[in-house]
Amino acid sequence: VTPSIMLRNPVSLVSNEMNTLAKNIMALIGSGHPVLNRVTSYYFEAEGKKVRPLLVLLLSRALAEIPLEQRTQSLIDSVDVPEDPVYSQPPKSLLFEPPANNLSPLDILHGIKPLNPLTKGPEPIPEANFDKERGILPKQRRLAEIVEMIHTASLLHDDVIDHSDTRRGRASGNVAFTNKMAVLAGDFLLGRATVAISRLRNPEVVELMSNSIANLVEGEFMQLKNTAVEDISIINQGNKPLPAASKKLNNEVHDYRVPRAVGEGISHDQMIETAFDYYLHKTYLKTAALISKSSRAAAILSGVDRTVVDQCYEFGKDIGICFQLVDDMLDFTVSAKDLGKPAGADLELGIATAPVLYAWKADPSLGPLIQRNFSQPGDVEQTAEAVANSNGVFKTKKLAEKYRDQALQNLRKALPESDARSALEFLTNSILTRGK
Ligand code: FPP
Ligand code: MG
Ligand code: MG
């Protein structure tokens, strides 16, 4: 097979869809409140990597190469999805009725600048037309938009949880608009994503994507509090008054714990193994679940058989874990300027990721520091140095390579050879060479 230009630029195969992605999302998230519109559209304005929608679109394109005879027609046919009357129209009140410039008197008072007016709701999903093209289905295009909306909602919340002050090279949502607005904007994005999911009119896809949202929260919670081991001090707090808000916030960010088994008669190697299991499970939930479940959903929408659906799911899972392993590695190796977000953040947040766990394997004295979430003066510096002097980053890269190889294997099992599959292979490989 002659390598085509597509091999070098995976986006070019789906550039039309990628170019209209942000515009289509804007149509899905329009509200009657101009300030809400500003906050919800804020992260879409800056250039993100858009890896998740790119994966969904390329996968959809590659799935389209599977002959129609091998797919269930009834699954692919789009049902007519009527215009939804529940989309929030701007209320006809003086306060929020958008004048020509889409600003309310209150916005003008607060010096808010006009924004392009957002539309009321999504266009109905058009019918699939197989005679004309065998490409990406309208519902798969919508799925790509939904995935980016869920991801962006989680970033708005994540930056509040992590106290991050930058994202995509500029002020994070919490800094630009306050925590309250960032949280509410994330909730609103999730609400609209949910509407769009239900409008795909496929119960299995609805279940998958809804679960991916729940998984994000579970993963984030695993990172926040170690619930794998009973923590009596937390349980006992049940009927005591809650600590003051500020104190609670500080406790929270430092509350991730390695399993209690530390130092209680279990071997060092067993401890590392438990910590890795916990870490990888957390990684699946917080990052890979959205990617794997949307990959599965793309396959379901294309009507392919269950084996292919399962292989697409496995592909998404491996690539998702690979992606987060690289993310955790870059936190140690790349500057904040190059990342466009805080660097070295995980140690500051008390989070022990793969590079630290590998360093701990070689240097058991890191155990207590990990256990107390690097909360004592000098802990962060000492751990950073231990990681730098260990093979932790190198071994994390090796682990990421293992997941990359598994992803490539599943991809080749699932899909026939095509430009789209080559582009997916290229994208999978480039996850390990990315610099941010
Ligand atoms: C980025 O991780 C964050 C995630 C992958 C998921 C965050 C999920 C939540 C906050 C749960 C709430 C979910 C929804 C859907 C609203 P990171 O902090 O390691 O990466 P970063 O360096 O990009 O901040
Ligand atoms: Mg973060
Ligand atoms: Mg985070």
Side-chain angles (χ1 to χ4, degrees):
V1 185
T2 330
S4 66
I5 185 82
M6 312 303 183
L7 277 176
R8 264 167 288 129
N9 184 3
V11 185
S12 65
L13 263 181
V14 291
S15 52
N16 286 345
E17 289 80 2
M18 288 302 283
N19 287 337
T20 51
L21 186 88
K23 188 181 128 265
N24 292 345
I25 291 176
M26 290 301 163
L28 291 168
I29 63 176
S31 83
H33 197 300
V35 182
L36 179 58
N37 292 343
R38 284 200 79 80
V39 192
T40 50
S41 53
Y42 184 66
Y43 278 173
F44 297 109
E45 291 159 14
E47 223 19 69
K49 293 187 284 291
K50 301 201 187 92
V51 169
R52 294 159 185 82
L54 185 59
L55 273 169
V56 167
L57 291 168
L58 284 174
L59 198 57
S60 302
R61 185 74 189 243
L63 283 157
E65 299 294 328
I66 296 176
L68 274 181
E69 308 80 75
Q70 293 172 30
R71 294 149 68 186
T72 311
Q73 186 76 31
S74 63
L75 281 173
I76 349 171
D77 282 339
S78 274
V79 286
D80 185 31
V81 183
E83 188 69 57
D84 189 334
V86 302
Y87 270 90
S88 49
Q89 305 286 341
K92 289 273 171 273
S93 74
L94 173 70
L95 196 57
F96 294 133
E97 186 178 6
N101 62 4
N102 204 26
L103 293 182
S104 74
L106 261 191
D107 295 327
I108 295 164
L109 195 71
H110 286 110
I112 289 167
K113 302 239 159 41
L115 182 81
N116 288 339
L118 295 165
T119 49
K120 355 94 217 176
E123 295 294 311
I125 301 170
E127 294 284 326
N129 187 342
F130 288 102
D131 300 332
K132 234 170 63 192
E133 46 146 350
R134 291 170 55 216
I136 301 164
L137 299 162
K139 286 185 178 186
Q140 291 170 320
R141 212 176 309 140
R142 181 56 51 79
L143 179 68
E145 292 152 18
I146 290 166
V147 171
E148 191 64 4
M149 284 165 73
I150 296 175
H151 171 61
T152 306
S154 81
L155 291 184
L156 278 161
H157 287 187
D158 178 70
D159 287 339
V160 172
I161 293 170
D162 292 349
H163 306 281
S164 293
D165 51 9
T166 49
R167 168 80 61 190
R168 296 179 178 167
R170 59 179 187 162
S172 56
N174 41 318
V175 165
F177 300 101
T178 72
N179 278 356
K180 292 179 190 183
M181 285 202 227
V183 168
L184 289 172
D187 289 341
F188 183 80
L189 283 178
L190 280 185
R192 279 296 167 79
T194 310
V195 175
I197 292 167
S198 66
R199 283 161 67 95
L200 294 173
R201 301 290 188 260
N202 182 312
E204 197 181 350
V205 170
V206 172
E207 187 174 331
L208 272 171
M209 297 313 294
S210 306
N211 244 329
S212 78
I213 297 175
N215 288 162
L216 281 174
V217 179
E218 289 174 287
E220 201 59 24
F221 223 89
M222 278 184 82
Q223 191 164 275
L224 208 62
K225 295 194 193 311
N226 181 357
T227 49
V229 177
E230 273 186 21
D231 188 326
I232 300 299
S233 68
I234 290 172
I235 293 168
N236 280 350
Q237 269 177 20
N239 45 15
K240 280 191 212 152
L242 286 171
S246 60
K247 202 170 146 221
K248 197 169 159 241
L249 192 70
N250 281 331
N251 289 343
E252 259 174 19
V253 287
H254 292 295
D255 219 0
Y256 172 74
R257 298 222 170 87
V258 293
R260 258 302 139 85
V262 174
E264 284 168 16
I266 126 172
S267 76
H268 181 62
D269 283 353
Q270 280 171 315
M271 225 145 56
I272 304 280
E273 202 186 312
T274 315
F276 256 105
D277 284 350
Y278 190 87
Y279 167 78
L280 285 172
H281 188 56
K282 175 203 82 174
T283 301
Y284 168 73
L285 291 169
K286 95 165 198 182
T287 307
L290 180 59
I291 299 176
S292 59
K293 285 179 167 133
S294 55
S295 299
R296 190 178 182 89
I300 290 168
L301 292 173
S302 76
V304 294
D305 72 45
R306 303 311 293 184
T307 319
V308 180
V309 169
D310 288 342
Q311 286 158 345
C312 286
Y313 170 79
E314 291 298 329
F315 163 71
K317 190 167 113 184
D318 295 333
I319 203 172
I321 294 178
C322 177
F323 188 87
Q324 189 59 46
L325 284 168
V326 173
D327 218 65
D328 292 344
M329 193 176 79
L330 293 177
D331 195 59
F332 283 94
T333 58
V334 178
S335 72
K337 189 171 169 292
D338 289 339
L339 283 177
K341 61 184 184 184
D346 291 334
L347 290 180
E348 299 284 354
L349 291 169
I351 302 164
T353 56
V356 177
L357 297 183
Y358 280 122
W360 179 29
K361 190 173 179 173
D363 176 3
S365 75
L366 284 181
L369 284 73
I370 297 173
Q371 198 176 23
R372 61 177 183 250
N373 311 112
F374 321 113
S375 57
Q376 286 185 12
D379 281 359
V380 168
E381 294 75 11
Q382 192 186 326
T383 310
E385 205 176 307
V387 170
N389 294 330
S390 76
N391 58 4
V393 167
F394 174 78
K395 293 200 86 168
T396 304
K397 191 162 178 224
K398 287 282 151 212
L399 188 62
E401 283 169 5
K402 188 190 111 184
Y403 281 97
R404 174 202 61 194
D405 294 343
Q406 274 172 217
L408 289 171
Q409 273 173 23
N410 278 309
L411 192 65
R412 288 171 195 145
K413 271 193 241 162
L415 302 164
E417 222 174 298
S418 70
D419 275 350
R421 196 186 81 174
S422 303
L424 281 167
E425 288 172 21
F426 181 93
L427 189 66
T428 307
N429 281 314
S430 63
I431 285 180
L432 263 143
T433 51
R434 75 194 168 103
K436 66 183 211 174

